[in-house]
Every structure is written in structure tokens, then in C-alpha cells.
Amino acid sequence: MTDHRCRLYLITPPQIDDLEAFAGLLEHALGAGDVAALQLRLKDASDDRIREAVDRLIPITKARDVALILNDRPDLAAATGCDGVHVGQDDATAASARRIMGPGAMIGVTCHDSRHLAMEAAEAGADYVAFGAFFPTSTKTVVHRADPEILTIWQQTMEIPCVAIGGITLETAPAMIEAGADFLAVSAGIWSFSEGAAAAVREFNRVLQATQFRGY
Ligand SMILES: Cc1ncc(COP(=O)(O)OP(=O)(O)O)c(N)n1
Ligand SMILES: Cc1ncsc1CCOP(=O)(O)O
Ligand SMILES: [Mg+2]
């Protein structure tokens, strides 16, 4: 049996008003358990604000060996020294993101509920593909809903990792892990957790340890 371990991929809140306070929260959260990556997803922020946020957060992620992935913008990700970029279907192609960011960067691509889009992303050199939304979410208005079976089929047939996103909480996480997700991308389930972000990271890790892929 292949050893398959699903890990946590944090997505920042869409808006960060107090960068200093968020930096403290993040430091505490990353100290509470294993996190593979943090995506800086500041919708509608200026380039200067994104630069400021990367400069403040990158020492925190580096200290914990957490990859800092910028949403939407390969150019800004390269310019600010992020470890990678996540692009949606309307943002940039994986191939152009790779050209801009170079061979060592991590490139992720939104594939909604489509294995076809995911195969195209894989062929274009993506490091991971993201499927979703799997559950209702108030973080983003979504038009695509995905069935967990897409994770199982991907896991059984492809090498590159798959990320599950959309409405993932402590309650919905087990279904994603059992279906074969390599990473759980979570925003509100972390930052709006009743006991705080650090407790959420700790509890997600407990669920990740206790739950296994059911597809082999
Ligand atoms: C890990 C991950 N998966 C999907 C998305 C969504 O990307 P996109 O469709 O471009 O939408 P926005 O996040 O840009 O609003 C994501 N960001 N991260
Ligand atoms: C960015 C994104 N893409 C699809 S659903 C989603 C929102 C994820 O946030 P949450 O974990 O709060 O549902
Ligand atoms: Mg996008």
C-alpha cells in the first residue's frame, strides 16, 4: 500500500486590515501543527499592499518551511520572492506562470470539477491541480461544484497532487481525505474557527492523522 498523507494548505482571508495582527495570528497558527503551504489571496488589494504583505509574512512561512504561494499573479509572485503561484482559468496559464517564475517555483491551477482541465494543467507543467468547490462556501461566489469522486479518480490515475477546496471544515474534511485529496485548502475553516486559528490547525491535524484515503 502506498503511503498517502494528506496535508493542510491555508488560504488567507480575502482581506487583511491589520497586517501586524495577522502576522501574529499566522505565527501562532503555524506553530500549532503541520501546514504545507499558505496562499496569500488578497482579492482587490493593490500591488503595493501585496508586496507589503509578502515582505511581512515570508519570514514567518520560511521559518516553518511552509511554501508561500501568491494567488492570481505570477509576475508579482516572482518579483516578491514567493515560492509559487496559484492561477485560475482566467488568470494565466500554467505554462506562462512557469516561464515567469522559473523551474523551481510551485505552480497550482484551478480545475473546478474537470479532469480535462486538470490533465491540461499537468501537461503544461503544473505542480498541483485544485478541484472544488466541494461544499458551500461564503469565502467566494462559486459556479462550479465538484464531486469527491474526482479526487479518487485523480489519485488512482495521476502522479501530480490534487488539492480539495471549498467549504472544508473539521466536519467536511474526512470525506475529502477518504476520497484521496493530497491537500486540504482551507480559509474560513481556519480563520473563523470558534476557538481560533491555532486551535483549528491543531484540530485539522488531528483529523488528518485519524483519517485515511479509502481508494486503494
Ligand atoms: C488552492 C486553490 N484552489 C482554487 C482556487 C481558486 O482560484 P480562482 O478560480 O482563480 O479564484 P480566486 O481564488 O482567484 O478568486 C484558489 N485560489 N486556490
Ligand atoms: C478560493 C476558492 N475557490 C473555490 S472555493 C474557494 C473558497 C475557499 O474558502 P473556504 O475554505 O472558506 O470555503
Ligand atoms: Mg484566481
Side-chain angles (χ1 to χ4, degrees), residues 36-40 53-54 57-58 61 66-70 81-85:
L38 172 76
Q39 181 184 128
L40 186 62
V54 173
L57 302 182
I58 212 163
T61 54
V66 172
L68 184 61
I69 311 286
L70 184 64
C82 286
D83 301 299
V85 69

Side-chain angles (χ1 to χ4, degrees), residues 1-6 155 177 180-183 211-213 216:
M1 183 168 119
T2 312
D3 181 37
H4 178 262
R5 196 165 79 88
C6 181
Q155 189 60 244
I177 304 164
D182 292 288
F183 298 94
T211 317
Q212 284 188 346
F213 174 42
Y216 290 122

Side-chain angles (χ1 to χ4, degrees), residues 36-54:
L38 172 76
Q39 181 184 128
L40 186 62
R41 179 177 178 271
L42 297 181
K43 300 304 279 190
D44 306 323
S46 67
D47 287 14
D48 280 352
R49 182 63 175 160
I50 291 171
R51 282 176 200 279
E52 189 187 7
V54 173

Side-chain angles (χ1 to χ4, degrees), residues 45 47 50 70-78 85-87 91 101:
D47 287 14
I50 291 171
L70 184 64
N71 189 40
D72 289 344
R73 295 281 303 277
D75 58 333
L76 208 44
V85 69
H86 181 93
V87 290
D91 299 321
M101 291 207 65

Side-chain angles (χ1 to χ4, degrees), residues 5-8 32-35 169-174 177 184 190 193 195 198-212:
R5 196 165 79 88
C6 181
R7 299 180 68 195
L8 203 48
D34 177 63
V35 173
T169 62
L170 289 173
E171 289 71 36
T172 60
I177 304 164
L184 303 182
I190 297 292
F193 187 59
E195 290 161 47
V201 168
R202 191 179 62 237
E203 289 304 303
F204 265 101
N205 272 283
R206 188 182 51 71
V207 171
L208 287 160
Q209 290 290 334
T211 317
Q212 284 188 346

